Amino acid sequence: DAGVTQSPTHLIKTRGQQVTLRCSPKSGHDTVSWYQQALGQGPQFIFQYYEEEERQRGNFPDRFSGHQFPNYSSELNVNALLLGDSALYLCASSRDDDTEAFFGQGTRLTVV
Amino acid sequence: EDQVTQSPEALRLQEGESSSLNCSYTVSGLRGLFWYRQDPGKGPEFLFTLYSAGEEKEKERLKATLTKKESFLHITAPKPEDSATYLCAVQAGWDSGNTPLVFGKGTRLSVIA
């Protein structure tokens, strides 16, 4: 079992650019959640996808958007990047009928 | 608003020196409390889920316990490889589907040989 995989592992973008991060859930999982983790902080919930729909959303601006595909994989898009968007972006997958969530290794985004 | 507070922020132990990490929480109906381990620059690694007060779970040198207001992660005779940040999170509500996790800031544990 490959577990939750995220790509890329690192990337550097310039302010104002757009970025797309990708996540493949653990086998058998149908729910994908995205979190942002700033240095020295706990992860903050961005949004959750289930059945290709955004089911819940945290306190993040509309610049953050996402998508879930029929194979349950997911993308996180961030437009008009700000320096403050620099963080570790984490994808977590779970089964809709189960509370336990498993995380990927994260994507380290640096905005310069 | 659901909240999680972890203490201490950082803890330095000698190898073999047992201790406990604290996670205090307020939540509107606890669905589950989770402990994760996170190594620098990596994603959180799942350790335990606790569902009700009085529940305990063990894994190697780690033991997690839960009361109605807090959870403890006890580390017995730690080794240097136990050095990591330990994150506590709660999941609230009883609606169908998975509600998001609310995390604390973590406790940074260093175990010195």
Side-chain angles (χ1 to χ4, degrees):
Chain A
D1 183 1
V4 182
T5 58
Q6 293 186 242
S7 63
T9 54
H10 298 84
L11 75 166
I12 300 174
K13 290 287 188 178
T14 304
R15 274 181 300 174
Q17 284 189 314
Q18 179 265 344
V19 69
T20 297
L21 311 181
R22 294 177 176 82
C23 171
S24 293
K26 185 177 167 69
S27 178
H29 287 186
D30 55 10
T31 302
V32 173
S33 301
W34 287 92
Y35 292 80
Q36 180 195 67
Q37 187 177 24
L39 208 58
Q41 302 295 312
Q44 297 287 317
F45 174 72
I46 303 174
F47 44 53
Q48 182 184 87
Y49 277 85
Y50 173 69
E51 292 188 339
E52 302 179 50
E53 299 274 338
E54 182 184 292
R55 179 160 65 180
Q56 298 181 76
R57 189 179 183 92
N59 189 24
F60 278 80
D62 292 345
R63 297 186 298 108
F64 290 77
S65 63
H67 190 78
Q68 186 179 33
F69 299 94
N71 66 352
Y72 308 117
S73 67
S74 176
E75 288 182 348
L76 163 65
N77 301 293
V78 187
N79 294 323
L81 284 166
L82 304 173
L83 295 179
D85 294 332
S86 296
L88 182 67
Y89 287 85
L90 296 165
C91 169
S93 75
S94 58
R95 291 203 322 259
D96 186 53
D97 61 350
D98 192 359
T99 56
E100 294 179 359
F102 294 85
F103 285 81
Q105 80 280 13
T107 294
R108 170 68 63 187
L109 172 65
T110 302
V111 182
V112 297
Chain B
E1 182 182 338
D2 302 331
Q3 270 193 320
V4 175
T5 303
Q6 292 188 246
S7 61
E9 290 186 10
L11 181 62
R12 188 180 171 97
L13 299 173
Q14 292 292 322
E15 184 173 3
E17 180 186 1
S18 301
S19 188
S20 296
L21 281 54
N22 177 262
C23 170
S24 298
Y25 65 91
T26 55
V27 64
S28 53
L30 180 69
R31 189 170 183 181
L33 184 139
F34 304 82
W35 283 98
Y36 288 87
R37 170 194 169 126
Q38 186 174 31
D39 293 305
K42 305 292 185 184
E45 174 190 345
F46 173 80
L47 293 174
F48 304 108
T49 309
L50 301 168
Y51 294 103
S52 57
E55 189 174 0
E56 299 182 351
K57 287 192 176 173
E58 289 188 65
K59 179 180 179 179
E60 297 180 356
R61 295 177 293 281
L62 300 177
K63 179 181 176 180
T65 62
L66 180 65
T67 73
K68 287 187 177 181
K69 293 184 178 180
E70 56 192 350
S71 176
F72 293 94
L73 185 65
H74 307 278
I75 303 176
T76 302
K79 298 181 177 182
E81 53 262 41
D82 295 322
S83 298
T85 295
Y86 291 84
L87 294 168
C88 174
V90 296
Q91 187 179 47
W94 294 97
D95 295 337
S96 61
N98 279 314
T99 53
L101 299 176
V102 176
F103 282 86
K105 292 184 178 181
T107 292
R108 212 167 48 252
L109 174 67
S110 300
V111 182
I112 312 302

